[in-house]
Amino acid sequence: MKLFSMIIFLIFTVNINAAEWQWSEKLTDIISGEINDNPTGLLWVPPSCESLNAIIISQQNMSEETLFENMMFRAEMEKAGVALLWITPGIDQKWEINSESQKSLDKLLDNLASKSGYNELRYTPVIPLGHSAMATFPWNYTIANPDRTLAVISLHGDAPRTNLTGYGRDNIDWGRRNIDGIPGIMIIGEFEWWEARVNPALAFRMVYPESCISFLMDGGRGHFDVSDKTMLYIAEFIKKSIETRLPDSYDGTSAPQLIKLNPSDGWLAHRWKDDGKKRPKPSHAASYKGDRHDAFWYFDKEMADMTEERYREIKNKKKQYIGITINDNKPEFNKETAANFSIDYDPSSDGFILNMKGFYTDSLRSKNIKYHSDKKIRFEKICGPVTAINDTTFRIEFFSTGFENKRRAGGIWLAACGDGDKNYNSAVQQIEIKIPIANNDGKKQTITFPEIKNIKKNIDVIPLTAFSDSGLPIEYYIKEGPASIKDGNIIINRIPVKAAFPLKVTVVAWQYGKKGDYSSADPVENSFYITE
């Protein structure tokens, strides 16, 4: 009930605008093959936070973007005193021990500590998080940094030391190293289930009896999406990591000596198995009656019960499927592709608004069905240059990752979600929408973007005056800084309480063009500083 009521409360406070990143910094020692330039570290610090307890570090893939942009998740991280660092593009799926990637990340954190005013970033405990192709990274980062890692999150991902890495190649050799006493969690969606991915996690627990490995089968969900319930589950896992591992003496002024957990102090719960058999009751590790070879570790009764509740929600429920239309066009279903539904879409001729409709259908997505859940199908952003207007309407908008990444900048992924009821399980269906990064059909246009003068921190709104010689309206996004765009103005958001001044804000003006009339303009950046 606590989890459900929190979702109801927070869902009405979700900000549908692009999430802010108050600071950015280049990783100057690395050249990304995706952009032929230095990757960027984007940092968000909870505005009310006076001292950070931890920082979650993730590399760009897909679902970490969903998680990091979600205002519900950010609200929970603000309560916990946890910052977010997103590296885009990603720099290292494998994360070898003593790698150049590690050195570059350490340098990045040092630079951000100096720039942001949050000096503790030099030694703040780290929670590595990775999705899919980046899901092996969190475990291997931990092996390289056991004294600094607070907890580990592998999202729709991998087991520690797995032979089935998310990136599809050999894993690193851990040698005699271990992650004993460091809580880690592996999350796998029900609709991506692969037993061979789970078995290495169970085996790891037996080989390393002092390890603290949790597991969540994400019921009614797939490989690409992150539900609000799962976001809050992750948030609770993070909070318990802070409560149990940060010493009481930690004041943020020096590196803490993290407390090593004893798995015997936690709880055990049976792994997920859809075999119809009665599940052993979760209990304290000392009194667990089930087969320990088929059990995962949890912090306490609360986390074990939250896990069991997720499993009960889908027990004996009928499966259902979702079909979709985009602007009243029905894409072809292809069960052999990761997306299943994939379309090419040209904003310069088709417009920037995506009107999504979902309907319950048969397993082939060929015809509507009469009997299904009574819940309305809604749509959620997974990743890419798009912003939600409501739960069925989206607008194509470029954001802080920019236009440079030819592989990712034109890729939009959405999820159609139908919640379950007393008879039917939840359903989810991902959709890929591929757009050209630029429109090349038409006359050249040029943007003029007048200088924005520095402002004092008490200024809240700055009108934007960029224009194109085509006469077409200008779009904007915030590349870095505590700000957002609304109605052609820069809105200054809450400034983190310990932020160093002057504080840089960079805004980008862009104009996509109109097919046959004007090609896309070169985007223009404009930076100014907030001063005291």
Side-chain angles (χ1 to χ4, degrees):
M1 183 60 69
K2 170 186 172 185
L3 184 63
F4 178 76
S5 61
M6 188 177 295
I7 291 173
I8 294 298
F9 173 76
L10 286 173
I11 199 166
F12 293 106
T13 69
V14 171
N15 179 1
I16 62 174
N17 294 319
E20 70 173 353
W21 299 94
Q22 300 114 330
W23 292 277
S24 73
E25 182 74 15
K26 295 285 189 181
L27 287 88
T28 54
D29 298 326
I30 293 178
I31 297 294
S32 167
E34 292 188 22
I35 58 174
N36 294 318
D37 199 355
N38 305 121
T40 299
L42 297 171
L43 175 66
W44 174 80
V45 170
S48 64
C49 186
E50 296 184 358
S51 180
L52 292 170
N53 288 323
I55 180 170
I56 306 175
I57 298 177
S58 193
Q59 304 180 66
Q60 185 178 23
N61 193 63
M62 292 178 73
S63 291
E64 82 295 329
E65 183 178 333
T66 317
L67 186 71
F68 277 10
E69 285 194 345
N70 186 274
M71 294 299 107
M72 178 188 297
F73 185 71
R74 288 196 174 195
E76 292 301 299
M77 292 305 95
E78 181 153 19
K79 296 175 190 173
V82 177
L84 307 176
L85 176 61
W86 189 34
I87 299 173
T88 171
I91 60 174
D92 193 343
Q93 297 171 326
K94 202 169 188 177
W95 211 267
E96 298 272 5
I97 298 166
N98 299 320
S99 65
E100 290 303 313
S101 301
Q102 181 66 56
K103 295 173 186 175
S104 292
L105 176 57
D106 291 341
K107 181 178 177 181
L108 172 67
L109 289 168
D110 282 348
N111 291 342
L112 286 170
S114 299
K115 177 183 282 190
S116 68
Y118 284 82
N119 187 63
E120 64 267 31
L121 286 168
R122 304 177 197 278
Y123 46 77
T124 296
V126 167
I127 302 170
L129 180 149
H131 166 245
S132 190
M134 286 294 182
T136 307
F137 146 72
W139 302 112
N140 293 346
Y141 172 91
T142 303
I143 274 296
N145 303 272
D147 293 335
R148 187 169 183 179
T149 303
L150 181 74
V152 189
I153 302 172
S154 186
L155 179 60
H156 299 306
D158 300 343
R161 289 196 68 175
T162 186
N163 61 322
L164 292 171
T165 62
Y167 50 83
R169 302 186 301 278
D170 290 343
N171 207 339
I172 69 171
D173 181 5
W174 284 20
R176 294 181 177 274
R177 297 176 177 87
N178 63 68
I179 56 173
D180 290 353
I182 303 173
I185 188 166
M186 176 183 180
I187 300 173
I188 293 185
E190 181 182 6
F191 306 139
E192 61 167 331
W193 189 262
W194 188 10
E195 190 72 14
R197 282 203 178 276
V198 183
N199 291 333
L202 291 164
F204 184 88
R205 286 198 62 252
M206 297 300 104
V207 175
Y208 297 92
E210 297 302 307
S211 64
C212 300
I213 307 300
S214 296
F215 181 86
L216 175 68
M217 190 285 294
D218 197 3
R221 308 300 291 200
H223 179 68
F224 302 98
D225 50 286
V226 188
S227 71
D228 288 345
K229 286 184 179 179
T230 301
M231 289 178 185
L232 291 174
Y233 186 99
I234 292 170
E236 193 65 26
F237 181 86
I238 291 168
K239 290 176 189 176
K240 289 187 182 293
S241 298
I242 293 170
E243 291 167 6
T244 56
R245 300 211 63 212
L246 272 185
D248 292 338
S249 59
Y250 180 61
D251 60 3
T253 60
S254 61
Q257 185 172 348
L258 297 173
I259 298 167
K260 182 178 179 180
L261 299 185
N262 183 346
S264 298
D265 295 331
W267 275 55
L268 295 179
H270 193 62
R271 49 85 39 102
W272 165 255
K273 211 165 193 179
D274 189 17
D275 56 8
K277 295 180 180 179
K278 185 177 180 180
R279 293 178 59 80
K281 187 178 180 180
S283 71
H284 191 278
S287 56
Y288 184 67
K289 304 297 184 185
D291 185 349
R292 292 172 181 265
H293 292 81
D294 272 342
F296 284 101
W297 171 92
Y298 298 90
F299 282 100
D300 52 22
K301 183 179 188 301
E302 183 181 21
M303 285 301 295
D305 286 348
M306 285 175 65
T307 307
E308 291 293 307
E309 178 58 29
R310 293 294 304 274
Y311 298 166
R312 279 192 293 272
E313 288 173 356
I314 65 171
K315 186 177 180 181
N316 300 324
K317 299 285 183 71
K318 298 174 186 177
K319 194 167 185 178
Q320 53 185 352
Y321 305 90
I322 296 176
I324 60 132
T325 63
I326 304 173
N327 292 349
D328 294 324
N329 295 311
K330 186 177 179 181
E332 182 179 351
F333 175 71
N334 186 344
K335 67 178 182 179
E336 302 301 325
T337 64
N340 298 150
F341 291 108
S342 182
I343 69 162
D344 293 321
Y345 186 91
D346 188 351
S348 68
S349 57
D350 300 331
F352 283 75
I353 300 298
L354 302 172
N355 290 300
M356 312 297 300
K357 293 179 182 177
F359 49 92
Y360 293 105
T361 180
D362 65 345
S363 62
L364 297 177
R365 282 49 163 202
S366 61
K367 60 181 179 180
N368 293 19
I369 58 173
K370 182 177 180 180
Y371 300 105
H372 51 74
S373 165
D374 59 8
K375 301 297 192 297
K376 176 188 172 184
I377 293 171
R378 67 186 187 283
F379 288 80
E380 300 172 353
K381 173 183 175 180
I382 296 174
C383 62
V386 69
T387 298
I389 296 174
N390 55 46
D391 63 4
T392 59
T393 310
F394 295 80
R395 189 176 194 278
I396 296 170
E397 292 183 358
F398 291 92
F399 65 123
S400 52
T401 55
F403 299 85
E404 291 77 16
N405 193 321
K406 306 302 182 195
R407 177 186 171 195
R408 298 181 188 273
I412 295 169
W413 284 68
L414 305 176
C417 307
D419 292 335
D421 59 14
K422 64 181 181 179
N423 296 313
Y424 290 90
N425 192 8
S426 296
V428 67
Q429 176 61 59
Q430 61 275 4
I431 309 104
E432 179 186 25
I433 302 167
K434 295 178 283 188
I435 65 171
I437 299 173
N439 164 44
N440 297 313
D441 185 1
K443 293 184 291 186
K444 181 178 175 60
Q445 60 171 322
T446 301
I447 292 173
T448 299
F449 196 175
E451 177 188 3
I452 303 174
K453 296 184 181 301
N454 296 342
I455 63 168
K456 295 290 186 180
K457 65 179 182 179
N458 61 334
I459 301 297
D460 297 326
V461 180
I462 304 171
L464 289 167
T465 57
F467 61 93
S468 169
D469 56 7
S470 69
L472 294 173
I474 298 295
E475 304 282 348
Y476 303 93
Y477 68 82
I478 299 295
K479 186 174 182 178
E480 66 171 324
S484 54
I485 301 293
K486 184 178 181 181
D487 299 330
N489 298 305
I490 295 176
I491 308 299
I492 303 300
N493 299 332
R494 290 186 299 158
I495 295 174
V497 294
K498 224 166 63 171
F501 289 93
L503 184 53
K504 186 178 182 181
V505 177
T506 299
V507 59
V508 178
W510 59 280
Q511 217 302 315
Y512 196 80
K514 187 176 180 181
K515 196 175 188 69
D517 292 336
Y518 289 96
S519 61
S520 295
D522 291 333
V524 179
E525 288 189 9
N526 206 329
S527 296
F528 65 95
Y529 289 88
I530 303 171
T531 66
E532 289 190 282

